[in-house]
Amino acid sequence: MSGKSKRKDTENYASDGDSDGQAPPKKSAKVDDEEGIVVCEISKNRRVTVRSFQGRVFVDIREFYVKDGKQLPGKKGISLTLDQWKVLSEHADKIDEAVAENS
């Protein structure tokens, strides 16, 4: 064995919860009450929506999956704030030029 010592199992570490030794509370899944406005479907399972969440407007580009006959948003995607969306849309011409050069 190496000269490094290992942690003993009997030592208390405060990183896994409160100082009283209890486990941290479980995180609940976040549910967005407002589905948003579907702007377009990019493909069968990808769509662009504009939605409001916690009083802020987002442009959401996301993959969806089907569960129990219902389409639900997946983890793969991006939600852009209005400021981020403005920057992206202002550069659309440059993006189009770069795509044309590389295709």
Side-chain angles (χ1 to χ4, degrees):
M1 278 206 182
S2 67
K4 295 181 181 179
S5 64
K6 293 183 178 180
R7 277 198 275 179
K8 295 180 182 178
D9 291 336
T10 58
E11 293 180 16
N12 287 331
Y13 292 93
S15 64
D16 290 333
D18 297 346
S19 59
D20 62 359
Q22 293 185 6
K26 294 197 180 229
K27 294 181 180 178
S28 62
K30 293 181 181 178
V31 177
D32 189 5
D33 292 335
E34 299 177 30
E35 291 182 19
I37 300 168
V38 177
V39 176
C40 69
E41 291 200 17
I42 299 172
S43 67
K44 179 182 174 187
N45 293 324
R46 289 185 183 147
R47 65 173 76 147
V48 178
T49 59
V50 176
R51 62 183 181 85
S52 177
F53 182 72
Q54 294 183 349
R56 297 177 66 193
V57 177
F58 293 92
V59 175
D60 196 38
I61 305 168
R62 189 153 307 277
E63 285 190 356
F64 281 72
Y65 66 98
V66 178
K67 182 177 180 182
D68 299 329
K70 212 174 175 185
Q71 279 204 330
L72 300 170
K75 290 181 181 180
K76 290 184 179 181
I78 185 167
S79 292
L80 300 173
T81 64
L82 288 181
D83 289 338
Q84 293 168 333
W85 174 251
K86 285 180 184 178
V87 171
L88 182 63
S89 63
E90 287 171 357
H91 291 87
D93 291 338
K94 290 180 184 177
I95 294 168
D96 287 337
E97 289 174 16
V99 168
E101 289 175 8
N102 289 298
S103 54

